[in-house]
Amino acid sequence: VQMLAIAPSKETECRETIKKICDSFAVSPLAREVLDAASATSSTKACGGADGINAQDAYFLQPLDTIYGIGYRSSWWTQFYCILWRSWLSVLKDPMLVKVRLLQTAMVSTLIGSIYFGQVLDQDGVMNINGSLFLFLTNMTFQNVFAVINVFSAELPVFLREKHSRLYRVDTYFMGKTIAELPLFIAVPFVFTSIAYPMIGLKAGVSHYLTTLFVVTLVANVSTSFGYLISCASSSISMALSVGPPIVIPFLI
C-alpha cells in the first residue's frame, strides 16, 4: 500500500514508480497465473448451469444470497481457515515480540528462583514456598492479561467493517485468533515453570512437575481469556488498561 500510494508533493515521481510496478507485474509469471485462473473460473461458471455453482466456488466469495443459506459469503470452515491463517501470519510477522516475551519470562522466573532458591520443608520454608506459588499466579495472571488486553480494542474497526460485509462470523474470528496465539500461551508457562520449579526446590518427581505445569498453563490461559473479555468490553485501549487491574486483583486474591 505504501509503495502504491501517491504522496503529497511527489505526485509525478509516485505515478512513475506505480507505472513501473504495474508494468513489471503485467509481464510476470504471477500475472499470467492469475489471468489463467480467472479465465478458467469464468469458463467453468459459464458451463456450470443456471446458477453457476461448482466445486471451485468454495475458494471464492459468494454474493450475500448464497447457497449456504446463512447470510455469509463463504462456508464456516472457509471463514475459520482464512482467519486462522491471517492471525498466524500476524504472529509470524512479529518474531521479536515472541522472543521478548519468552526472554522476559525466563528472566522473571530466574529472578524468582534466585530469591527463593533451595527451600527446605521447615516453618520458614513452607512460608517461602507459599509466597513463591503466589508469585507463580501473579506473574502468569498479569503477564497474560496485559499481553492480550489491547488485541480486540485495536482490531475492532477492522472487525466491524468485515463483519458488516458478511465476510465471517464472530465465532470463527474469535476461534481463529485464539488458536493462532495458543502456542505462545503454552510456551510461556512451560518456560516459567521449567526454570523456577527446580530452583525453588519444589517437590521432586516428574508427575509433580507435570501437575504444576498443567495448573500454571491453565492459569495462563484463563488469564488470557479474561484479558480477551476486558478487551472486548472496552471501547478503547486506554479504557482496557484502566479497567484491567481493578477487575483482576480481586480474582487473584
Side-chain angles (χ1 to χ4, degrees), residues 2-245:
Q2 186 176 6
M3 288 297 297
L4 296 178
I6 298 179
S9 72
K10 295 184 179 179
E11 288 83 357
T12 304
E13 180 182 347
C14 290
R15 292 184 188 279
E16 291 178 356
T17 303
I18 293 172
K19 187 176 184 305
K20 291 179 182 177
I21 294 175
C22 293
D23 292 343
S24 299
F25 175 77
V27 297
S28 66
L30 180 59
R32 287 193 292 272
E33 292 179 13
V34 172
L35 184 60
D36 293 341
S39 301
T41 303
S42 301
S43 60
T44 305
K45 282 191 175 184
C47 301
D51 56 358
I53 303 295
N54 54 73
Q56 286 194 359
D57 283 345
Y59 300 101
F60 298 94
L61 289 177
Q62 305 295 327
L64 288 180
D65 185 18
T66 69
I67 60 172
Y68 301 104
I70 55 175
Y72 291 92
R73 303 172 69 181
S74 59
S75 67
W76 189 96
W77 176 253
T78 302
Q79 297 173 34
F80 172 72
Y81 173 79
C82 292
I83 293 294
L84 178 62
W85 180 246
R86 185 174 74 174
S87 302
W88 180 245
L89 286 180
S90 67
V91 173
L92 295 180
K93 285 179 180 178
D94 199 0
M96 183 56 65
L97 179 61
V98 177
K99 294 177 182 177
V100 167
R101 286 205 62 192
L102 293 177
L103 179 61
Q104 173 192 0
T105 302
M107 292 175 62
V108 172
S109 59
T110 303
L111 178 62
I112 295 175
S114 301
I115 294 173
Y116 293 97
F117 185 80
Q119 296 299 315
V120 294
L121 286 178
D122 54 16
Q123 185 172 356
D124 292 335
V126 170
M127 295 292 292
N128 291 335
I129 289 173
N130 283 338
S132 66
L133 292 179
F134 183 71
L135 285 177
F136 271 55
L137 299 179
T138 305
N139 184 70
M140 285 295 102
T141 299
F142 280 101
Q143 181 177 356
N144 289 285
V145 165
F146 287 99
V148 300
I149 203 169
N150 66 332
V151 169
F152 293 114
S153 300
E155 295 188 5
L156 189 60
V158 175
F159 167 76
L160 291 177
R161 184 179 71 240
E162 295 177 341
K163 176 72 168 57
H164 291 158
S165 299
R166 312 299 287 174
L167 294 180
Y168 49 75
R169 303 153 56 101
V170 177
D171 55 347
T172 54
Y173 171 75
F174 182 80
M175 290 179 62
K177 280 200 64 65
T178 303
I179 294 175
E181 297 177 352
L182 187 61
L184 180 60
F185 295 126
I186 294 177
V188 167
F190 174 76
V191 171
F192 184 87
T193 307
S194 299
I195 295 175
Y197 192 94
M199 290 184 68
I200 296 172
L202 299 178
K203 195 169 184 178
V206 176
S207 61
H208 303 298
Y209 163 76
L210 292 178
T211 302
T212 305
L213 178 60
F214 178 69
V215 173
V216 172
T217 303
L218 285 181
V219 170
N221 283 274
V222 168
S223 303
T224 301
S225 299
F226 202 72
Y228 284 147
L229 172 63
I230 297 173
S231 181
C232 290
S234 303
S235 58
S236 64
I237 296 177
S238 58
M239 180 179 292
L241 294 174
S242 301
V243 170

